[in-house]
Amino acid sequence: MTLVIEPEKGAAARLSSSSSSSSLSSSPRLGASVGGAEEKEATPSLASHISDTSDPLSPLEHALTTDLRTEAEHEAARAELALTQTRTRTSIGSHASRPPDFEVVFDSDDSENPRNWPLWYRSWIIFCVSFSTWVVVLYSTAYTAATPGMMAEYNVTSTSIVTLGLTTYLLGLAAGSVVVAPLSELYGRRTVYLVCVFIFVLLIIPCGLATSLAELIIVRFFGALFGSAMVSNSPGTVVDVSSQKYLALAMSLWSIAPLNGPVTGPLIGGFVYQYLGWRWDNWIPLILGGVAFLLLLTVKETYAPTILKRKAARMRKELDDDRWWCRYEENTTTIDLLKVNLSRPFVLAATEPILWFFNVWISVIYGILYLCFIAYPVVFVQYRGWTPGLSGLAFLGIGVGTLLAIFLEPLWRRIINAHPRDPTTGTAIPEATAAVMSLGALLTPVGQLGFSWTCLPTSIPYIAPIAFGVPFGMGNTLCFIYGTNYLAAAYGNHAASALSGNTVMRSIFGAALPLAGPAMYASLTPQWAGTLLGLLEVVLIPIPIIFYYHGDKIRARSRVIKQMREDAARNEGRAAKHAARVARRAAAAAAKEGEMGKEMGKGGDVEAQAQGASGVLGELLNVL
């Protein structure tokens, strides 16, 4: 689509549509499909390993979003605008006043398209949102390193009561993922980032100055509620600024910091508590949060629907022409948005058997991961006599495993692309992703059981339990990333709702299990408690394996997926009928033009005969 300014009676403007307008995808999610221009600048050498074949992580484009509406719902909203006067902030008028030539979309070389921004700036954006997300996640587990100080300060003898600070934080992240974070659909990512991170940073102050444990526990919930905006929306920003070809690389680079946030929390928090006191485990995140807020000030809006809506409003004002419009200008209220976010994810979670198994599997793994932040201090501080700072170093094994899972992405990609492709889409089937999930499901209990059997007695070298953190961290990361991708590929337009319910459930597990950790490790000993958890993970190993072999049959029985396929078939049928109608009209128009040409031809023959006769008559007269 090209913007052409023509001198129409004093300076009006028209938007001439070309075939390139098809670059605007039918899906508004994350702006990921909008203006799909290829990279113009030189790509980094790190990206050389990315294959040109279909991206196994491509379903995440439709899932890592705060816009939980399906395209069908967007079309319904736009159809309503065709019948009634719009109630948006700018008057767009009825459908009759929305001519196609005046639709505002991204051109392939549009400078407002985030994917056309300079490579250095898009890389900077990914760094800023990754760092900010890391601060939010780090603050969740840095708390665990300071629990001895808080117990002494507030005269608390129960570790479980102090652990409530971790529990409420994870519950805040869960609540925020369905309440606060989706507001970016209404106000854009940048506005939500700045407002939520600013409030998140402010709420750290009362935690550092808390005069009671209850005050600290409650405030942490609300801090996480606003901090969740970064955890939920930053993957969407990465998709906004990344081309399809390099999306997997960008997502991998972004995930390095957030996925290691739980590990770096006790690592940094342990040394801070040891040398500066437990309150500084709040002041350091406060400083880091302030830096994150300043970094986010340099990030422009990346959410394509918001950019296009603002562009349409600007053109209507500057050109004084109400015909300019954008397909995302529809009457969406905060109440409507919350209804979608608070209903559909839980309806799917309650009615879809696929989600029953995946939600339980991923939630248990996630809960056991956060239980490690209780178990490691017990083993290394209480039994091995390490200082709080040194005990944080024990988490390095999990961190190394996480990084290995991220950096081996080319290997996982080759494994997935080696599987048969879906004949209808040409992409890897979701069950191909289950191959990597199954590997993660095997590595996780190996790491958990290995740690449990080598953590004690203290005569066993400390390097052994730390080393078993490598397969544990690697398995967790593979389960989270590729389990999420499987759900995204399976549920298509409903993926965001499916993943939202999964996020809430796993956060609840992550919040609840640490509460039982202190009592469990005290009564069963670390060896038996860890063995029990490892065996629980062993019991869950068959879930991804079953989906690997029988996932296509299971998906075929899903009510939601079946409905999606029927809708897709109907849409294809409608598209085919529309194309046939257009072809018939074109053929009829061509036939009509042919008949008119013949009539004109006949008229030309008569005229030629008359001219010929006139010429002959003239010659006879000359002879006479």
Side-chain angles (χ1 to χ4, degrees), residues 184-270:
S184 63
E185 183 185 351
L186 297 178
Y187 306 109
R189 301 200 197 283
R190 186 174 191 270
T191 301
V192 172
Y193 283 159
L194 294 178
V195 172
C196 289
V197 172
F198 182 75
I199 297 176
F200 166 77
V201 173
L202 284 183
L203 290 177
I204 297 178
I205 297 176
C207 291
L209 299 174
T211 57
S212 68
L213 185 61
E215 177 185 347
L216 193 151
I217 291 172
I218 294 173
V219 174
R220 277 178 62 85
F221 170 83
F222 290 101
L225 183 74
F226 289 98
S228 66
M230 291 306 311
V231 178
S232 299
N233 287 349
S234 58
T237 297
V238 177
V239 179
D240 289 345
V241 301
S242 303
S243 68
Q244 177 65 33
K245 187 176 181 180
Y246 301 104
L247 174 62
L249 175 65
M251 289 294 293
S252 297
L253 295 176
W254 165 84
S255 64
I256 291 174
L259 288 181
N260 281 283
V263 175
T264 52
L267 177 60
I268 296 174

Side-chain angles (χ1 to χ4, degrees), residues 30 83 95 132 157 212 218 302 340 350 354 380 429 456 609:
L30 303 175
L83 302 175
H95 184 70
S132 303
T157 57
S212 68
I218 294 173
T302 65
V340 175
I354 295 176
F380 290 98
I429 58 176
L456 294 175
Q609 292 174 1

Side-chain angles (χ1 to χ4, degrees), residues 340-364:
V340 175
N341 281 270
L342 294 175
S343 60
R344 187 189 300 149
F346 301 103
V347 171
L348 288 180
T351 59
E352 283 294 296
I354 295 176
L355 293 179
W356 297 348
F357 292 103
F358 267 79
N359 286 352
V360 171
W361 173 52
I362 295 179
S363 297
V364 169

Side-chain angles (χ1 to χ4, degrees), residues 417-428:
N417 283 330
H419 287 75
R421 298 184 180 277
D422 188 328
T424 58
T425 63
T427 60

Side-chain angles (χ1 to χ4, degrees), residues 221-514:
F221 170 83
F222 290 101
L225 183 74
F226 289 98
S228 66
M230 291 306 311
V231 178
S232 299
N233 287 349
S234 58
T237 297
V238 177
V239 179
D240 289 345
V241 301
S242 303
S243 68
Q244 177 65 33
K245 187 176 181 180
Y246 301 104
L247 174 62
L249 175 65
M251 289 294 293
S252 297
L253 295 176
W254 165 84
S255 64
I256 291 174
L259 288 181
N260 281 283
V263 175
T264 52
L267 177 60
I268 296 174
F271 283 108
V272 169
Y273 164 66
Q274 182 177 340
Y275 293 103
L276 298 175
W278 73 267
R279 293 187 184 273
W280 274 92
D281 274 321
N282 294 285
W283 303 136
I284 295 298
L286 176 68
I287 296 171
L288 295 174
V291 173
F293 179 78
L294 295 177
L295 292 177
L296 291 173
L297 288 174
T298 67
V299 175
K300 296 190 294 185
E301 180 58 61
T302 65
Y303 190 45
T306 299
I307 297 174
L308 290 173
K309 285 190 290 186
R310 292 174 180 175
K311 185 176 181 178
R314 184 177 69 247
M315 294 178 69
R316 287 193 293 268
K317 181 178 180 180
E318 292 178 353
L319 303 176
D320 194 23
D321 191 340
D322 289 338
R323 289 177 295 178
W324 296 103
W325 62 281
C326 164
R327 65 193 305 230
Y328 302 112
E329 292 174 310
E330 57 190 49
N331 184 31
T332 303
T333 65
T334 304
I335 299 299
D336 293 336
L337 189 65
L338 290 179
K339 285 180 180 178
V340 175
N341 281 270
L342 294 175
S343 60
R344 187 189 300 149
F346 301 103
V347 171
L348 288 180
T351 59
E352 283 294 296
I354 295 176
L355 293 179
W356 297 348
F357 292 103
F358 267 79
N359 286 352
V360 171
W361 173 52
I362 295 179
S363 297
V364 169
I365 291 177
Y366 190 77
I368 293 176
L369 171 64
Y370 267 85
L371 195 54
C372 288
F373 302 109
I374 303 298
Y376 273 56
V378 170
V379 169
F380 290 98
V381 176
Q382 181 177 333
Y383 283 92
R384 290 184 177 263
W386 288 22
T387 62
L390 286 178
S391 67
L393 294 175
F395 291 96
L396 288 178
I398 299 178
V400 170
T402 300
L403 292 176
L404 279 176
I406 294 172
F407 291 144
L408 289 176
E409 186 272 338
L411 174 61
W412 317 135
R413 179 185 297 270
R414 284 195 292 270
I415 292 175
I416 293 174
N417 283 330
H419 287 75
R421 298 184 180 277
D422 188 328
T424 58
T425 63
T427 60
I429 58 176
E431 283 66 43
T433 307
V436 183
M437 291 159 39
S438 300
L439 176 61
L442 291 170
L443 289 173
T444 304
V446 168
Q448 175 64 31
L449 292 173
F451 172 82
S452 304
W453 296 341
T454 59
C455 65
L456 294 175
T458 56
S459 58
I460 299 176
Y462 65 86
I463 194 63
I466 293 177
F468 276 107
V470 175
F472 181 78
M474 189 174 182
N476 272 276
T477 304
L478 293 179
C479 292
F480 295 153
I481 293 179
Y482 292 93
T484 297
N485 193 73
Y486 182 90
L487 294 179
Y491 282 95
N493 287 337
H494 292 280
S497 298
L499 292 178
S500 180
N502 181 269
T503 299
V504 172
M505 187 168 179
R506 79 184 188 196
S507 296
I508 292 175
F509 269 69
L513 285 184

Side-chain angles (χ1 to χ4, degrees), residues 90-211:
T90 55
S91 176
I92 312 169
S94 64
H95 184 70
S97 65
R98 291 159 64 94
D101 287 350
F102 288 83
E103 180 181 4
V104 179
V105 299
F106 284 142
D107 188 11
S108 59
D109 57 352
D110 196 327
S111 61
E112 294 188 53
N113 185 348
R115 294 186 177 184
N116 291 334
W117 294 345
L119 176 62
W120 70 266
Y121 183 64
R122 287 183 288 141
S123 302
W124 172 253
I125 290 175
I126 294 175
F127 167 76
C128 292
V129 297
S130 180
F131 176 84
S132 303
T133 309
W134 172 72
V135 174
V136 174
V137 179
L138 172 141
Y139 190 45
S140 68
T141 55
Y143 175 89
T144 61
T147 52
M150 287 181 283
M151 293 176 67
E153 176 88 11
Y154 300 121
N155 297 319
V156 176
T157 57
S158 174
T159 307
S160 298
I161 294 178
V162 180
T163 307
L164 281 172
L166 175 63
T167 297
T168 56
Y169 195 92
L170 292 177
L171 291 177
L173 292 179
S177 66
V178 295
V179 176
V180 177
L183 294 179
S184 63
E185 183 185 351
L186 297 178
Y187 306 109
R189 301 200 197 283
R190 186 174 191 270
T191 301
V192 172
Y193 283 159
L194 294 178
V195 172
C196 289
V197 172
F198 182 75
I199 297 176
F200 166 77
V201 173
L202 284 183
L203 290 177
I204 297 178
I205 297 176
C207 291
L209 299 174
T211 57

